Each structure stands twice: as C-alpha cells, then as structure tokens.
Amino acid sequence: MATSEEQPPTTQPFTLEDPLDLIRLSLDERIYVKLRNNRELRGRLHAYDQHLNMILGDVEEVRTQIEVDEETMEEIFKTQKRNFPMLYVRGDGIILMSPPEKPTY
Amino acid sequence: MPLFHTFFKTLVGKEMTIELKNNLLIHGTLISVDQFLNIKLDKISVPDPDKYPQFLSIKNCFVRGSVIRYIHLPPSEVDPTSLQEATRKEAMQSKMQQ
C-alpha cells in the first residue's frame, strides 16, 4: 500500500534515546542508587520497572548522618552499613541511579 | 505487563521481611499481593515486640504498597536470570507502546 503510512518503529534495542535505556543497559551490573533520607545502595541490578522499583542482589546500604560539633562547628559524618543478599526497593524513594562503577578511571 | 506484580505472586507462601518508611520491620509469610504492590502478610513478627506491643496480638496484616521502603527477599526463591529477561521484555514492550 501507500508508503506514507505508519513507519515501522525506528527504535533499535540498543540505543540510548530514552533515559530508562541507561538503566536497561545496567542490568546484571553493579549500580549505585541514591535514596531519600541519606541512604545509598550498591548492588547488582536484576529487575526494574518504569516507576524505578528495583530488585538488587548483594546489596550494601550506607546511611550517612551528619552531626555538628557544638563547640568547633565541625561536621562529623557517621555512616552505618547493612547488607542484604536480595532486596526489593520501592521506586518512590529513589533520587538517582548511576551505571556500573568502574574500578579504574 | 506488571513485572513486579507477577514476580511477587511467585513468592506467595514464602517468608520475607518488609521494611517500612517509618523504619518498622515486619517479618511474615506472604499471603497475597495486588497491582499496587499492597501486601498481605501472615504469621507476622517484629524484631522488638516490647517496643511495639500492638503487634503482639496481631497475626496477619495488610500493608499499603506506598509505605514500603524495602522488602528483604529470600535469595533462594529469586532467579536473577529470569528476572533480567522479564525486565528486558517489559522494557521492549513499553517502548513499542510509545
């Protein structure tokens, strides 16, 4: 029929035109996730959806609390770490995620 | 289509710990899950019952999906490979719909 009809989708599976593509290319890689309440996660990405709900494996969570010394006004960073073998993370707490950590750069 | 709904349905009957946004941890057996990822748990327990005496008399509960921060999953019940496959499939599908 007429060639002016609908074009087939030009989207290739491995382009980076959609922000979520960046996350898709990070599947099965270790990623960094920043969450609300000064929480950070590092873990292997097994699943995600459009809400940024995620399932991560071998996760380390780091919570950072800042305490200000009354006398010297110095900021003291205190971190607490927890580990989880397999963790579902609800997307509404996520601020940002970053692709695989490169060991050297 | 709803990847996580399908995933959690495969975990019905398994034990897991839900961590809420108010830092409360509830351990229990998954009874059911819906499309909003609301969750029903049976045989629940909390790590510090003295601090939360209201939980002593509660055997099962419904948790609204939006108050959940994490769910600590049993790793033996999760197959990472099939999860990644399902995720890629769903990403492709939502792209087609755009």
Side-chain angles (χ1 to χ4, degrees):
Chain A
M1 294 292 278
T3 49
S4 60
E5 276 184 30
E6 285 177 40
Q7 296 277 324
T10 51
T11 329
Q12 296 297 312
F14 292 102
T15 50
L16 266 176
E17 55 187 37
D18 186 351
L20 281 173
D21 290 344
L22 184 71
I23 305 179
R24 195 189 64 225
L25 295 178
S26 307
L27 275 170
D28 204 24
E29 306 274 3
R30 286 192 75 79
I31 59 164
Y32 165 83
V33 183
K34 185 176 166 66
L35 297 163
R36 297 173 70 148
N37 305 108
N38 299 311
R39 287 166 199 266
E40 296 167 293
L41 299 174
R42 282 181 178 83
R44 190 170 295 278
L45 182 65
H46 294 316
Y48 72 88
D49 66 9
Q50 66 271 41
H51 307 291
L52 254 46
N53 295 322
M54 289 180 183
I55 290 173
L56 300 173
D58 295 318
V59 193
E60 184 189 63
E61 183 206 50
V62 179
R63 268 178 295 171
T64 310
Q65 287 174 321
I66 308 172
E67 286 178 18
V68 181
D69 191 305
E70 293 286 322
E71 294 173 11
T72 59
M73 292 304 283
E74 270 184 275
E75 289 183 343
I76 306 157
F77 290 85
K78 288 189 175 172
T79 60
Q80 291 168 291
K81 290 185 181 177
R82 287 193 296 171
N83 288 283
F84 312 96
M86 195 62 73
L87 189 70
Y88 161 80
V89 184
R90 193 172 162 95
D92 59 1
I94 291 175
I95 294 173
L96 66 86
M97 70 78 68
S98 170
E101 305 158 43
K102 298 280 185 288
T104 53
Y105 55 89
Chain B
M1 179 65 186
L3 172 75
F4 285 91
H5 183 207
T6 314
F7 167 72
F8 278 111
K9 279 203 280 192
T10 69
L11 293 179
V12 166
K14 310 286 188 248
E15 284 187 28
M16 56 190 65
T17 304
I18 295 183
E19 181 171 334
L20 306 184
K21 287 180 178 145
N22 64 1
N23 296 324
L24 180 65
L25 290 156
I26 307 172
H27 182 85
T29 306
L30 185 66
I31 306 177
S32 62
V33 59
D34 68 11
Q35 53 162 329
F36 305 108
L37 304 180
N38 298 322
I39 274 176
K40 256 165 84 178
L41 285 183
D42 196 12
K43 298 178 207 155
I44 62 162
S45 59
V46 292
D48 192 357
D50 299 331
K51 207 171 148 190
Y52 306 100
Q54 66 271 37
F55 281 94
L56 287 171
S57 58
I58 297 177
K59 293 280 180 293
N60 58 64
C61 70
F62 171 97
V63 182
R64 186 177 153 101
S66 62
V67 303
I68 293 169
R69 178 186 293 132
Y70 300 142
I71 300 177
H72 311 179
L73 303 165
S76 56
E77 305 297 338
V78 181
D79 175 15
T81 318
S82 64
L83 266 181
Q84 288 162 17
E85 251 170 54
T87 304
R88 287 201 175 89
K89 211 169 151 188
E90 191 171 84
M92 283 296 285
Q93 279 177 356
S94 57
K95 213 166 236 295
M96 293 305 204
Q97 286 170 4
Q98 279 175 16

